[in-house]
């Protein structure tokens, strides 16, 4: 009974917004705050993307999933989904952390770029955050002209050389290969 009451409240809130003017319903937005490398192991590491999501509407939106792609030096190496446990409050914002696990095997796809960049690797993170608007989702989708979601895009540089300087990662054959290629490149310059 409690979930039916919440659904009814969300639907009524959306109807109120539409009475004021459906043209005033706006798409949520997202702003990247940072990317931090965490959880470094012999197998790989986690790129933790911190995003601040803003909701300019009078209806709260639970985040149902994040879809993402990670590319290194223009090569798409990983696609995945995450389930952030957050609700975007009405007329508010919420920080969301999107962890992406990367293996040293994934980095081998960009081996040449890592060597040519002296251990610095450009990356691109793209995707979207999808929302579950409950019973109000259909009305909100119609008002926005699409399913409620927020596009994500961020580019930066990953310091692979620094990651490979940690002795615990050098038990990985892929990490050893990358470190060896970097050292050979360094001494041949």
């Amino acid at each position: 009974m409690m979930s039916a009451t919440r659904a009814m409240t969300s639907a009524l809130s959306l109807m109120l917004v539409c009475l004021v003017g459906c043209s005033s319903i706006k798409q949520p937005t997202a702003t990247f705050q940072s990317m931090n490398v965490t959880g470094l192991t012999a197998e790989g590491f986690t790129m933790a993307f911190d995003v601040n999501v803003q909701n300019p509407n009078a209806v709260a939106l639970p985040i149902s999933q994040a879809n993402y792609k990670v590319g290194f030096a223009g090569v798409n190496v990983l696609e995945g989904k995450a389930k952030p446990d957050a609700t975007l409050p009405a007329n508010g914002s919420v920080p969301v952390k999107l962890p992406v696990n990367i293996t040293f095997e994934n980095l081998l796809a960009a081996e040449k770029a890592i060597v040519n960049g002296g251990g610095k690797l450009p990356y691109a993170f793209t995707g979207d955050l999808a929302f579950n608007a409950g019973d109000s989702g259909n009305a909100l989708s119609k008002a926005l002209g699409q399913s409620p979601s927020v596009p994500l895009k961020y580019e930066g540089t990953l310091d692979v050389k620094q990651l490979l300087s940690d002795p615990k990662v050098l038990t990985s054959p892929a990490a050893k290969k990358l470190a060896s290629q970097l050292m050979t490149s360094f001494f041949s310059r």
Side-chain angles (χ1 to χ4, degrees), residues 11-151:
L12 289 173
S13 295
L14 184 60
M15 286 175 23
L16 179 62
V17 169
C18 282
L19 286 174
V20 172
C22 278
S23 62
S24 66
I25 293 180
K26 297 178 184 169
Q27 182 74 22
T29 59
T31 307
F32 271 92
Q33 302 299 307
S34 64
M35 188 286 293
N36 296 297
V37 173
T38 62
L40 184 63
T41 68
E43 291 77 35
F45 53 93
T46 299
M47 294 175 79
F49 294 91
D50 293 314
V51 181
N52 190 40
V53 188
Q54 301 86 29
N55 183 4
N57 300 298
V59 178
L61 298 170
I63 300 172
S64 61
Q65 125 178 338
N67 304 297
Y68 60 82
K69 292 181 184 179
V70 176
F72 294 112
V75 177
N76 186 28
V77 296
L78 186 65
E79 291 184 36
K81 298 180 185 299
K83 292 196 112 351
D85 185 24
T87 295
L88 185 52
N91 297 311
S93 65
V94 66
V96 176
K97 185 175 290 288
L98 299 171
V100 178
N101 296 319
I102 305 291
T103 67
F104 288 109
E105 292 287 332
N106 294 136
L107 290 182
L108 285 177
E111 178 179 0
K112 191 175 206 174
I114 294 169
V115 172
N116 290 341
K120 303 284 187 179
L121 180 63
Y123 66 85
F125 176 92
T126 59
D128 64 62
L129 285 174
F131 299 97
N132 178 3
D135 290 341
S136 63
N138 290 335
L140 186 60
S141 295
K142 287 177 186 173
L144 291 173
Q146 62 188 14
S147 297
S149 68
V150 174

Side-chain angles (χ1 to χ4, degrees), residues 104-188:
F104 288 109
E105 292 287 332
N106 294 136
L107 290 182
L108 285 177
E111 178 179 0
K112 191 175 206 174
I114 294 169
V115 172
N116 290 341
K120 303 284 187 179
L121 180 63
Y123 66 85
F125 176 92
T126 59
D128 64 62
L129 285 174
F131 299 97
N132 178 3
D135 290 341
S136 63
N138 290 335
L140 186 60
S141 295
K142 287 177 186 173
L144 291 173
Q146 62 188 14
S147 297
S149 68
V150 174
L152 302 172
K153 184 172 182 180
Y154 184 73
E155 295 178 350
T157 303
L158 180 66
D159 191 343
V160 177
K161 186 176 175 181
Q162 180 182 356
L163 296 173
L164 295 173
S165 69
D166 190 321
K168 72 180 163 198
V169 306
L170 296 178
T171 60
S172 160
K176 280 182 190 178
K177 182 176 182 183
L178 290 169
S180 173
Q181 292 293 334
L182 275 173
M183 290 301 289
T184 301
S185 170
F186 177 74
F187 285 115
S188 65

